Amino acid sequence: MSEAFWDVGTSTPYPLRLDKLGRTSFFRWQKAESTYMAFSKGNIDWNDEYNRFRLSVVAGISIDATPLSTAAILNQRILLTSANFLIPYLHRQMDLRIWALGRLGYYNTPYRYRVWRVWRIFAPSANPEHQHGPKGEHTPRHDIAIIFSLDRMFVYWKPSQTSQYPYQTFLIQPHWTIINTQVEEEDKLLFAGSGYEYMEHVRENYKIFFALPKEEHIVDCSKYLPKFWGKFICFKNVMRFSGVQNGGPLLLGSHLLGVGCFEIRVNEDRILVFTDLRYYVHIIKQVAELNSHQYYEYAYPQWGVDYGYFGSIYGNAPRIPKLYTPWWVKVDHLG
């Protein structure tokens, strides 16, 4: 029996999910099969497994044991996400927590990190024309926020396809186009989130899944949105998802192209809207440039110690050695 349209977002039956595991961790990523001895593992869709490994750049954000959304890892200190879901908690920034994959390399053993600061790129607009939602509390205009971690995060030194270690994504370049960008093995476009696919997924909000939008599903945002709302990338919701997660990263190969903003419905059309980061690259780099003394005195200094090649996990000498991170690395590591 199908549900009513406004109960689940569509009358289409729920998609059949293969992972029916119970909750074993606060956030859980899709389990990926190791490519080690791949020839002996039978009929496995390795393209799907490669995409699951791409979820290693996604971190979960929570507060008070409540999952909120996801963010993209830019380096060991900085994550990028949307701002709207964080607005109710900006007065409690240090109560937020970051959940990223850990050193064990499993899909359900995340590490938890504290938050030092949340920085919205631009202040929310007070213009009622820029606001939406039942009470007008959401502003899609410039919906971008940077999260600075108080603790130095564990980030593996390369993208792994044998264990699920966390890795960093890279900011898109301002003049790149989706059509002309070439990728090697993986699907070109991928977006991720912990609550978007179906209503149960939205309610649970801890399973980090991925979806693969296609270039042919890109539509002109100006048909559905006022241009003064901001810079967006719009896709037709052909998979009939319940929506798009505010803050979920949109990847173009290994680069961060956008972050999820909202879904809009116009007559029969359902459009997934992402903030286009190509217009914000320069201001993001300016905001993310911190001086070395600004918060490192609060972090655990032992996380910055270089133990050498044999003293850390599989040659994972920290990306930035010594006790404190040099200020100039914060820009260079953003890509």
Side-chain angles (χ1 to χ4, degrees):
M1 177 179 177
S2 62
E3 303 286 348
F5 182 87
W6 291 111
D7 288 340
V8 298
T10 177
S11 58
T12 306
Y14 289 158
L16 178 62
R17 296 238 44 112
L18 299 179
D19 56 340
K20 299 186 180 296
L21 300 175
R23 186 166 189 172
T24 56
S25 61
F26 195 84
F27 275 94
R28 174 162 66 82
W29 288 251
Q30 282 183 274
K31 185 178 180 180
E33 185 68 33
S34 172
T35 57
Y36 178 70
M37 300 286 288
F39 63 88
S40 64
K41 295 186 176 180
N43 296 325
I44 293 179
D45 184 355
W46 288 109
N47 187 66
D48 184 71
E49 301 301 321
Y50 292 146
N51 286 321
R52 294 185 180 206
F53 279 113
R54 293 171 72 185
L55 292 177
S56 62
V57 304
V58 183
I61 307 297
S62 71
I63 191 170
D64 296 339
T66 301
L68 295 179
S69 185
T70 53
I73 301 172
L74 292 183
N75 56 37
Q76 293 175 317
R77 294 286 189 181
I78 297 176
L79 301 92
L80 191 64
T81 186
S82 296
N84 273 315
F85 78 91
L86 292 169
I87 288 178
Y89 311 104
L90 290 182
H91 65 294
R92 299 177 55 201
Q93 296 181 20
M94 296 194 72
D95 292 331
L96 294 166
R97 293 295 180 263
I98 301 166
W99 299 78
L101 290 167
R103 288 176 182 264
L104 289 180
Y106 299 144
Y107 68 101
N108 60 350
T109 56
Y111 282 3
R112 184 180 67 178
Y113 306 95
R114 298 171 298 172
V115 171
W116 175 69
R117 176 187 291 178
V118 176
W119 199 328
R120 181 162 185 161
I121 298 295
F122 295 103
S125 173
N127 188 339
E129 294 182 345
H130 299 166
Q131 300 168 354
H132 72 102
K135 298 180 181 179
E137 70 273 23
H138 300 305
T139 306
R141 184 175 174 83
H142 309 313
D143 186 18
I144 305 174
I146 294 176
I147 299 176
F148 298 95
S149 172
L150 180 63
D151 306 314
R152 183 172 178 179
M153 299 172 59
F154 167 68
V155 176
Y156 201 56
W157 68 287
K158 67 175 182 178
S160 174
Q161 292 183 352
T162 56
S163 298
Q164 292 185 257
Y165 294 132
Y167 189 62
Q168 68 179 113
T169 184
F170 302 92
L171 273 179
I172 195 75
Q173 296 300 316
H175 303 294
W176 282 17
T177 61
I178 298 175
I179 295 177
N180 294 332
T181 300
Q182 301 294 324
V183 296
E184 296 179 357
E185 297 178 353
E186 69 272 5
D187 291 280
K188 180 179 290 189
L189 294 165
L190 177 146
F191 77 81
S194 60
Y196 67 89
E197 191 164 306
Y198 47 92
M199 286 308 296
E200 184 181 357
H201 189 212
V202 174
R203 287 190 292 266
E204 292 176 335
N205 199 23
Y206 76 94
K207 300 175 182 177
I208 298 179
F209 291 161
F210 73 88
L212 301 173
K214 304 296 183 183
E215 293 178 63
E216 55 265 28
H217 299 151
I218 298 175
V219 294
D220 184 1
C221 295
S222 62
K223 294 181 179 179
Y224 306 95
L225 304 172
K227 290 187 177 180
F228 56 77
W229 269 21
K231 304 297 184 181
F232 301 107
I233 302 172
C234 297
F235 294 90
K236 287 184 178 179
N237 188 1
V238 296
M239 298 299 293
R240 313 302 289 177
F241 294 140
S242 295
V244 61
Q245 186 169 44
N246 187 244
L250 173 66
L251 301 179
L252 178 63
S254 60
H255 288 75
L256 183 61
L257 174 63
V259 289
C261 196
F262 61 94
E263 182 197 47
I264 189 170
R265 302 180 182 185
V266 180
N267 298 326
E268 298 292 329
D269 297 333
R270 298 176 59 184
I271 307 300
L272 305 178
V273 182
F274 296 83
T275 302
D276 191 347
L277 295 179
R278 289 174 292 186
Y279 295 90
Y280 300 95
V281 169
H282 299 301
I283 187 64
I284 290 173
K285 290 185 177 183
Q286 291 178 20
V287 172
E289 181 179 1
L290 296 178
N291 292 323
S292 58
H293 64 273
Q294 284 190 262
Y295 64 83
Y296 298 115
E297 62 268 25
Y298 301 108
Y300 296 115
Q302 61 267 31
W303 279 72
V305 176
D306 186 355
Y307 292 108
Y309 186 87
F310 296 103
S312 55
I313 181 171
Y314 301 110
N316 180 40
R319 291 179 165 289
I320 312 168
K322 308 306 177 187
L323 285 180
Y324 298 110
T325 306
W327 65 269
W328 50 268
V329 175
K330 307 314 294 180
V331 174
D332 292 348
H333 264 198
L334 295 182

